[in-house]
Amino acid sequence: MTSNDSLQRLAQTIESRKPARGGDPQTSYVARLLQQGPDAFLKKIGEEATETVMAAKDLEHGGATPELSAKLVGEVADLWFHSLIALAHYGLSPADVIAELERREGVSGIEEKALRKAQARESAEK
């Protein structure tokens, strides 16, 4: 079993919880967030991103204790989970993200960022 398998299973569960597929907002957190719309799950992504940063800062300044390491891992898991909800809402999957990461493999981050900026300028000029 790979991490990709775990992400795919979680994505399938999220997909099954969509209200349009019978997910009940009264009994499913995912269905509730999806029913409330993008503002609800995007707000959660922002909260989880902030909590991830704070946990990383705690780890940086508090030493690599098992408790602080576990807190960072837990916050990243929350961030990934809510990001998967956003992907599902927009008809995307973990496979789309993995494909993008694979596309970037071996490419300098500096070069990648410069290319994205150039592409954005081209789009803005059109």
Side-chain angles (χ1 to χ4, degrees):
M1 177 179 357
T2 67
S3 299
N4 191 23
D5 294 335
S6 297
L7 286 173
Q8 191 56 42
R9 279 195 314 279
L10 182 53
Q12 289 169 345
T13 298
I14 290 169
E15 191 68 31
S16 75
R17 304 278 167 81
K18 286 182 171 181
R21 295 182 180 246
D24 182 0
Q26 298 298 318
T27 60
S28 168
Y29 174 71
V30 171
R32 187 176 323 137
L33 279 179
L34 289 169
Q35 182 185 49
Q36 291 172 349
D39 285 349
F41 58 77
L42 295 174
K43 179 180 176 186
K44 287 300 296 178
I45 290 171
E47 290 172 9
E48 299 304 342
T50 299
E51 290 171 2
T52 297
V53 170
M54 292 179 347
K57 287 291 201 176
D58 288 346
L59 187 58
E60 180 69 23
H61 298 292
T65 67
E67 296 81 13
L68 292 177
S69 295
K71 177 128 176 83
L72 177 58
V73 169
E75 295 302 345
V76 170
D78 291 345
L79 178 59
W80 286 15
F81 175 76
H82 289 90
S83 295
L84 288 171
I85 292 171
L87 288 173
H89 175 79
Y90 294 110
L92 300 166
S93 74
D96 297 308
V97 177
I98 290 168
E100 176 61 12
L101 291 171
E102 288 172 347
R103 184 191 69 75
R104 294 180 186 186
E105 188 175 358
V107 176
S108 160
I110 294 170
E111 291 173 18
E112 174 70 20
K113 187 173 182 180
L115 177 61
R116 280 185 274 147
K117 282 185 177 180
Q119 290 170 336
R121 278 194 302 272
E122 273 183 29
S123 293
E125 291 171 359
K126 292 182 182 179

